[in-house]
Amino acid sequence: MDAPAKIDDVVAAKIPDGVYAETVLSVEHYTDRLFRFRMTRPAGFRFRSGEFAMIGLMVGDKPVYRAYSIASPSWDEELEFFSIKVPEGPLTSHLQAIQPGDKVLMRKKPTGTLVLDALTPGKRLYMFSTGTGIAPFASLIRDPDTYEMFEEVILTHTCREVAELKYGFDLMEEIRNHEFLSEIVGDKLKHYPTVTREPYPYQGRITDLMESGKLFTDLGVPPLDPAVDRGMICGSTAMLKDTKAFLEKSGLTEGANSKPAEFVIERAFVG
Ligand code: A2P
């Protein structure tokens, strides 16, 4: 008599071609809306820091995917993701329940525009993020190439509530305590967290803080200058539109992989 199939064999039999099934290594919940998880990285999976991949789960008999920025840098042996929890979300309502040892699906081909290759050389790199839009920057601020290309890196992160900023603070601490990154990053990286719906020392939307000039005064840097400043933007559709408008008003032009320029944008994916 044949031995019964193991669960993993059953799952594996249903996994479509062109998809990896990786093992969850750790899960950390930040708030009732946010969590991060780390999983194994498939041998041979290559990506550029800042890119996204399609991440999924088998829901019943069918795989359900959504786009996720890879939050870990390209040199990391594991893969990290930072996720929102949407109660009725087709994927995140299930993904938020994952535990170490569970399998997560990932399509094989990563892509994206928030990559260093899409920018022309400059002096100062601004990373503008809201909410889970910090994820691609979590990758880029941990990549030594970022500091080779730029003298100064400014990560802005705006959230509704103070608790939602924690992932950003954890990243900064991780870099400070990291054996080789701490040396490479030194004092080149500045973190500028702001909150819009609670009292906090730094308050307001990043667009308003640029309009008023407060961002630049707080950081002790001159206003945006297309000769030296570069930008990457990741947030909601409305935030992308308004931040892009400010950058364009300041004389910066939008680039892409095929045509590097002074700033690039990507939606923070939800659902
Ligand atoms: P606000 O609280 O004033 O709406 P969300 O969770 O809706 O994506 O928002 C995340 C953060 O992005 C919030 O702090 C929110 O501020 C801010 N935000 C929303 N829309 C814009 C926009 N058009 N420009 C800049 N920031 C925005």
Side-chain angles (χ1 to χ4, degrees), residues 19 33 47 78 90-91 100 123 125 130-132 136 153 179 195 209 226 234 237 240 242-243 247 249-250 258 270:
V19 175
R33 289 180 65 213
F47 69 99
E78 300 171 3
L91 177 62
K123 199 174 130 194
L125 174 59
T130 54
T132 55
V153 177
E179 201 184 336
V195 163
L209 293 162
C234 190
T237 308
L240 293 184
D242 293 350
T243 312
L247 266 52
K249 199 170 78 175
S250 308
S258 55
V270 284

Side-chain angles (χ1 to χ4, degrees), residues 105-124:
L105 307 179
M106 182 172 72
R107 289 214 184 114
K108 291 192 173 172
K109 191 126 184 44
T111 185
T113 53
L114 299 183
V115 290
L116 296 171
D117 293 346
L119 295 174
T120 48
K123 199 174 130 194
R124 192 179 292 117

Side-chain angles (χ1 to χ4, degrees), residues 123-129 137 141 146-147 150-157 172 187-193 206 210 215-216 218-222 224 229-232:
K123 199 174 130 194
R124 192 179 292 117
L125 174 59
Y126 284 89
M127 299 169 171
F128 300 105
S129 67
F137 305 138
I141 60 170
T146 304
Y147 305 93
F150 293 96
E151 285 171 27
E152 195 176 0
V153 177
I154 295 165
L155 169 65
T156 84
H157 189 207
M172 298 300 288
D187 57 4
K188 287 180 158 185
L189 174 62
K190 299 204 170 67
H191 180 208
Y192 191 85
I206 200 65
M210 287 199 284
L215 171 71
F216 309 111
D218 286 346
L219 292 168
V221 297
L224 291 184
D229 291 321
R230 299 292 172 265
M232 290 180 163

Side-chain angles (χ1 to χ4, degrees), residues 23 52 66 115 139 147 173-174 219 225 248 264 270:
T23 306
F52 66 85
R66 58 156 272 197
V115 290
S139 173
Y147 305 93
E173 192 182 325
E174 185 192 312
L219 292 168
D225 174 357
E248 287 179 337
V264 278
V270 284

